[in-house]
Amino acid sequence: MAEIVGRDDQITTLDALLDHAIDRRGGALVLRGEAGIGKSALLEHAARAGRARGMRVLRVTGVQAEVQIAYAGLDLLLRPLRPAASDTSSPYRMAVEVLDLLGEPDGAVLLVIEDAHWLDAATWETLTFLCRRLESDRIAVLMAVREGEDIDRRLAAAGLPELRLEPLSPADSAMLLDRTAPGLAPALHGRVLDEAAGNPLGIVELGSAVARSGGSALLPSSLPLSVRVERTFDGLVADLPPDTRRLLLVAALLDGDSLDEILAAMRVLTGAEVPADAVQPAVTARLVTVDEHYDLRFRHPLLRSALRQQAAAGERRRVHQALAEVLSGSPGRRLWHRASAAPGPDEALARELTDLALGATQQQTVAVAAATVNRAIQLSQDPAARGRRQIMACTLMREQGDSQSAQRILEDVDVSALRPADQARLAMMRESFSSKAWSGAEQLLAYADLIDTMRRDDNAGFAIDALAEIALRIYYSNAPAHVIDRFTDVALALGDGGDDPRLSGVLLTIAPAGRGADGLDRLRQLVHRTGLSPGVRCDLSIAAWAAGAFEIAGAFALSSAAELRAQGRIGALAVALNAGAGAHAGLGDARTALPLAAECIALAQETGQLMWALGGGLIAALAEALSGDVAAARRRADVAEQIFTAARRLPMLALVQRARGVAALAEGHADDAFRQLIRVYDPADSAHLPHQRLHLLGFLAEAAVLGGFLDELRPVVAEMEPIAARSQSPALLVGLGYARAVLTGDYETALAQDLTGWPFDRARLQLTYGSALRRSFKLTESRPLLRAAADTFDSLGATPWADRARAELRATGETRRKPMDALAVLTPQEQQIARLTAEGLSNREIGTRLFLSPRTISTHLYRIYPKINVSSRAELARVITSSDVV
């Protein structure tokens, strides 16, 4: 093949990408530029160069006709390696399967994707997620996309490196034209260069056309270059036999490349057998190629576009109808071609697509459901039904982790066409997406009225959905009593949670103090119940956390996360990880909380759930404060404060104060800690959040006893006593036990509580009591308490508290050496991998959990071993186990 003109730097970049992949440094690159700028030529170079290096090359071209068919592009890309994709996988789970599949060959693999902007959404999400997970994999991915605002948004969300192709220089343009059409008259030579403006395809096609037809080929000059180049293709196609032209149109509209399927559709269209040789004139004209698998590929995407545009609407519909008949054995593909053949909106077809989407949702195939319901939206005739489908699509997109698409759908909904129940849900969803200030209490009351209307209209399911969606919003709103009472009444009118467990969670989240006792009893009954969906368990974990039942919250969250992870629903997984991290941080377990929070932050950022990422950051800040990394904790708190203040989400500042207060305690600045934490209890303070008072009393009491603020603590304890009796919040009851002990000196009663599930709080009691005994010169009695406290704090990763316990022991005359913490030298992700390895999971199993390839896990272990001075999985397990029980 002729040398590519003017692209030496770009070729060097592509060659480096291939060499890095061969060297187990996988990577991805997106080629961007206008139509005809040379993307296809560079892709072809990369494919040839990859094969020359011994790489396996897999290729696919995005097709506009198949943009709504989930995994159509991925199936074509991977067809040489395996059967069609299982439609039970999400894009994120599918990405891990593809990483695993591509890791099996001995050599490196190059994926070449042309016209990636026409890939179906599921394939796009799969491939871009895969690209972000390439680390130690022998995989290179090269995508080509055109310019456009929509492409800008998609690439911004994908976060992949880009290489933009600019027009050729005048010298390179002239060289290319001389090679293409040597001997052109100077006037025509200059006109071609002016018209092509450095576009390589324009230079080649317009130069060839001028060489054949003279200056008339450049008219009309007012048309965009891409249209004029397409017209040169039109001229080439017009010279072909009728059957060949029609065959090319079928190929342009087919959601695939199979020549057999194309010929079968031709048989339906013509009523007669069409021989395979009908394609040969197009092959001879170098418009298409047919490979050994009888797959037909167009020489340039503009030819496919030209064929679609020149065909009359009626002819395109007839082709789609023929393809639907041919593809009767593939219901999903057949349905899409039926939808493409529809002359306009078709409510019956929209209902059929919606039913298919609901079935896919029940089977956890979220990506398929989302693509299907989006097509149903396009075909909807009933405006109210269209709006409800848009709301359904938004929910599916959020679960899948595509927040940008969900936001665009919400903005497109016609509120005036919606039924009142759907209007309520839409209003709540829009507010939950908004980064602006939340609406006030009166707007919340309006939501309550609309949800009650749903119930009265026999839409109980939608009413419970709406309550579940808004419950956490109410929790963080400092809503007045009459608003909480109204939502409580609405929830109770729907039942007591016996039929739908979410009602128990809703009641507990919106009123953890008022409904705590009954709600917690119900959650304890549900925690081991089988058959609850992971989404319901995630909601219940948040409710349990709100009530301070951290053990229950952790059990719900981690079981939910396991299923969501298996299904690849990373949008929902980020929320479950947030709940799990929050539960363990609430228990003082920094070791477990920090890796969960780190993964929550990464997934939430990746899926555009910025508030969940921010919440995960504040949980990480609490865990970092507990572990002694106070600088990191304060940085996160400062960032969150700026965002919450700008958005007027002031009650959420309580989480900022939590991190700052615990960080101050970790540094030994008890006076600062008390000032930070008491703000949460002060109704006049912007950081006041009544529900967080259930969680923070233990830390506030610790700051009070260390800083000499016991008189200021007494009224707080008196205020919280009746709330504890009413709510039965485990966190509040434990905190009150500690607060009473520091106020009365009766530590024995506090230690007599069942604190089995509260090791940090038991150790805090032991430390405070042991310190008091040491100051009273009861050294012998103090030592067992201080030893136990130091051991527990070490096991939880609460290093500053463990150091305090050891300092108190030294003051009694006993020296206790600080144990080596093997995990301290590892990053949160490395800690996660090390723990899973210690549990006996294989690299493949760990990769499946963390959405990484087995090769990447192996590389991480290669880095982990020397950090903690081990050389095998067995030694790693022993070190990790000993670190967990020190």
Side-chain angles (χ1 to χ4, degrees):
M1 182 175 286
E3 175 190 355
I4 300 176
V5 174
R7 300 300 189 199
D8 292 347
D9 291 343
Q10 291 82 359
I11 288 173
T12 298
T13 300
L14 297 185
D15 289 346
L17 177 73
L18 303 182
D19 291 337
H20 289 162
I22 291 171
D23 195 32
R24 301 194 184 281
R25 290 179 289 159
L29 186 64
V30 178
L31 298 180
R32 293 194 66 178
E34 64 184 19
I37 200 66
K39 301 185 295 294
S40 297
L42 288 174
L43 291 181
E44 185 59 39
H45 164 82
R48 292 198 318 273
R51 293 190 189 98
R53 288 166 167 79
M55 301 178 77
R56 181 160 195 172
V57 179
L58 303 175
R59 304 185 66 164
V60 72
T61 298
V63 180
Q64 188 175 13
E66 65 184 53
V67 72
Q68 297 290 347
I69 306 176
Y71 297 118
L74 191 67
D75 287 346
L76 286 171
L77 179 67
L78 300 179
R79 186 172 292 171
L81 299 184
R82 56 136 211 212
S86 164
D87 64 2
T88 61
S89 292
S90 77
Y92 313 105
R93 178 58 53 212
M94 187 68 75
V96 177
E97 293 177 11
V98 174
L99 275 174
D100 199 16
L101 177 68
L102 298 181
E104 291 179 359
D106 294 333
V109 179
L110 170 64
L111 305 183
V112 178
I113 300 100
E114 187 156 9
D115 270 4
H117 47 276
W118 289 129
L119 290 174
D120 60 278
T123 296
W124 173 268
E125 291 295 335
T126 298
L127 291 177
T128 53
F129 188 78
L130 177 149
C131 290
R132 293 191 294 271
R133 290 302 188 272
L134 293 175
E135 294 185 27
S136 304
D137 307 283
R138 303 185 72 188
I139 301 170
V141 182
L142 192 57
M143 295 183 176
V145 298
R146 297 187 194 177
E147 298 289 7
E149 292 183 5
D150 185 57
I151 298 303
D152 290 341
R153 289 194 295 268
R154 294 182 76 178
L155 287 177
L160 302 180
E162 300 175 17
L163 179 61
R164 189 180 295 274
L165 300 185
E166 302 295 344
L168 296 179
S169 68
D172 288 332
S173 297
M175 181 188 300
L176 179 59
L177 180 56
D178 288 339
R179 289 182 180 180
T180 302
L184 281 183
L188 287 178
H189 189 279
R191 286 187 61 192
V192 169
L193 293 181
D194 288 343
E195 295 290 346
N199 183 288
L201 184 64
I203 294 169
V204 170
E205 297 300 337
L206 293 179
S208 298
V210 166
R212 289 193 308 269
S213 308
S216 61
L218 296 174
L219 299 174
S221 59
S222 60
L223 290 176
L225 175 66
S226 60
V227 175
R228 300 171 71 192
V229 173
E230 284 179 359
R231 289 194 173 184
T232 69
F233 284 131
D234 289 350
L236 295 172
V237 172
D239 294 334
L240 297 175
D243 277 352
T244 306
R245 293 200 302 270
R246 179 173 266 190
L247 184 148
L248 290 181
L249 176 60
V250 174
L253 296 176
L254 177 65
D255 56 311
D257 298 325
S258 171
L259 181 59
D260 291 338
E261 290 179 346
I262 294 167
L263 293 173
M266 286 287 291
R267 187 164 54 246
V268 173
L269 285 168
T270 63
E273 288 289 339
V274 176
D277 288 345
V279 75
Q280 193 56 42
V283 174
T284 302
R286 293 181 58 248
L287 297 176
V288 298
T289 62
V290 179
D291 63 18
E292 65 274 15
H293 302 293
Y294 298 99
D295 286 340
L296 182 150
R297 296 183 183 277
F298 288 93
R299 179 164 67 92
H300 196 280
L302 283 177
L303 174 56
R304 187 191 290 267
S305 175
L307 288 163
R308 286 197 302 264
Q309 290 184 26
Q310 74 173 201
E315 179 67 6
R316 290 199 303 271
R317 290 195 186 105
R318 283 190 289 274
V319 171
H320 281 301
Q321 288 168 349
L323 288 169
E325 185 173 336
V326 167
L327 299 172
S328 58
S330 301
R333 297 175 69 195
R334 178 174 183 268
L335 186 57
W336 288 118
H337 284 290
R338 285 178 55 212
S340 298
D346 185 330
E347 187 63 30
L349 190 55
R351 282 196 299 272
E352 191 174 343
L353 287 163
T354 304
D355 290 342
L356 182 64
L358 289 169
T361 304
Q362 291 165 3
Q363 298 168 17
Q364 310 300 342
T365 54
V366 180
V368 175
T372 308
V373 78
N374 278 328
R375 184 58 179 152
I377 291 167
Q378 295 171 359
L379 292 173
S380 298
Q381 286 178 301
D382 179 352
R386 182 178 190 271
R388 177 164 288 189
R389 289 168 187 142
Q390 287 174 305
I391 292 172
M392 177 183 174
C394 179
T395 302
L396 291 168
M397 291 295 183
R398 291 185 73 177
E399 270 197 51
Q400 194 173 318
D402 188 355
S403 295
Q404 286 193 333
S405 293
Q407 179 69 60
R408 288 198 297 272
I409 292 170
L410 284 184
E411 292 170 355
D412 189 49
V413 178
D414 179 3
V415 182
S416 64
L418 295 179
R419 300 178 180 90
D422 293 325
Q423 288 179 352
R425 290 197 68 195
L426 176 66
M428 287 180 284
M429 292 174 81
R430 282 179 170 173
E431 184 162 310
S432 72
F433 266 106
S434 175
S435 60
K436 300 176 183 177
W438 280 341
S439 56
E442 294 310 311
Q443 184 63 52
L444 285 175
L445 279 178
Y447 291 157
D449 293 340
L450 287 168
I451 294 170
D452 204 29
T453 300
M454 297 184 203
R455 175 189 64 83
R456 290 195 301 270
D457 291 345
D458 294 326
N459 283 316
F462 283 106
I464 296 173
D465 288 342
L467 276 172
E469 287 166 1
I470 202 173
L472 200 59
R473 161 77 169 80
I474 299 169
Y475 175 91
Y476 279 118
S477 292
N478 271 352
H482 71 280
V483 173
I484 293 176
D485 290 344
R486 175 62 176 141
F487 275 100
T488 300
D489 291 342
V490 170
L492 289 173
L494 284 162
D496 61 0
D499 294 329
D500 193 324
R502 289 179 298 171
L503 282 173
S504 298
V506 166
L507 287 165
L508 202 53
T509 304
I510 64 178
R515 304 293 306 181
D518 293 340
L520 286 171
D521 285 344
R522 178 66 176 143
L523 260 59
R524 291 187 181 98
Q525 297 168 15
L526 292 169
V527 73
H528 298 300
R529 176 171 155 182
T530 59
L532 292 179
S533 74
V536 169
R537 272 178 279 149
C538 183
D539 288 345
L540 295 180
S541 71
I542 293 172
W545 172 85
F550 299 139
E551 276 193 291
I552 298 175
F556 276 127
L558 296 186
S559 66
S560 169
E563 282 194 40
L564 293 170
R565 191 187 299 281
Q567 296 165 5
R569 295 159 63 185
I570 66 172
L573 174 59
V575 177
L577 290 169
N578 184 289
H584 284 281
L587 291 169
D589 184 359
R591 287 187 187 277
T592 304
L594 198 52
L596 292 173
E599 189 181 7
C600 162
I601 295 166
L603 292 179
Q605 288 175 336
E606 190 154 28
T607 54
Q609 301 180 99
L610 299 185
M611 278 300 162
W612 284 109
L614 191 62
L618 284 170
I619 295 169
L622 174 57
E624 287 163 343
L626 287 166
S627 65
D629 190 355
V630 296
R634 288 202 173 99
R635 283 196 298 271
R636 294 187 192 273
D638 291 346
V639 170
E641 181 179 47
Q642 292 177 3
I643 295 172
F644 289 152
T645 301
R648 303 300 297 166
R649 300 188 179 195
L650 299 182
M652 298 188 78
L653 291 173
L655 304 180
V656 173
Q657 296 310 118
R658 177 186 68 179
R660 288 175 173 163
V662 177
L665 275 174
E667 284 187 316
H669 299 156
D671 53 345
D672 183 32
F674 190 84
R675 284 195 298 269
Q676 299 287 356
L677 294 171
I678 197 65
R679 291 182 58 188
V680 179
Y681 292 80
D682 181 1
D685 196 287
S686 59
H688 177 59
L689 181 58
H691 303 318
Q692 272 293 295
R693 297 179 303 171
L694 279 59
H695 296 189
L696 298 181
L697 188 57
F699 286 115
L700 183 71
E702 182 182 359
V705 70
L706 293 174
F709 296 100
L710 294 182
D711 288 341
E712 290 85 345
L713 179 64
R714 293 182 198 280
V716 175
V717 171
E719 180 185 6
M720 298 308 293
E721 291 278 8
I723 295 174
R726 187 168 65 251
S727 70
Q728 291 298 299
S729 165
L732 179 54
L733 291 172
V734 170
L736 268 177
Y738 179 77
R740 293 190 199 107
V742 300
L743 289 172
T744 64
D746 182 6
Y747 291 97
E748 296 290 347
T749 299
L751 283 168
Q753 294 181 84
D754 182 6
L755 297 173
T756 305
W758 300 82
F760 181 91
D761 293 270
R762 183 176 182 83
R764 177 161 50 193
L765 271 167
Q766 291 168 332
L767 172 58
T768 307
Y769 187 22
S771 300
L773 291 172
R774 195 269 303 167
R775 288 193 297 273
S776 299
F777 303 101
K778 298 178 180 179
L779 305 184
T780 303
E781 297 174 44
S782 70
R783 287 171 184 151
L785 291 165
L786 295 172
R787 286 190 213 109
D791 288 346
T792 299
F793 288 136
D794 279 326
S795 70
L796 296 171
T799 304
W801 281 261
D803 289 344
R804 276 175 51 202
R806 277 187 288 272
E808 289 289 341
L809 269 175
R810 284 195 297 274
T812 71
E814 179 179 310
T815 300
R816 190 173 185 83
R817 189 173 61 183
K818 182 177 180 178
M820 185 192 79
D821 185 356
L823 294 178
V825 297
L826 304 179
T827 67
Q829 186 182 55
E830 288 173 340
Q831 291 181 28
Q832 204 170 13
I833 291 171
R835 287 182 184 277
L836 293 172
T837 303
E839 292 174 14
L841 274 67
S842 68
N843 288 358
R844 179 164 295 179
E845 290 168 332
I846 297 170
T848 297
R849 287 200 186 188
L850 302 184
F851 302 100
L852 295 169
S853 72
R855 172 62 62 182
T856 296
I857 300 301
S858 177
T859 300
H860 278 295
L861 288 173
Y862 179 78
R863 295 170 183 156
I864 288 168
Y865 284 178
K867 283 187 177 183
I868 57 178
N869 197 29
V870 302
S871 59
S872 69
R873 301 173 85 93
E875 289 181 33
L876 174 64
R878 283 195 295 272
V879 170
I880 297 300
T881 302
S882 65
S883 293
D884 286 344
V885 299
V886 290

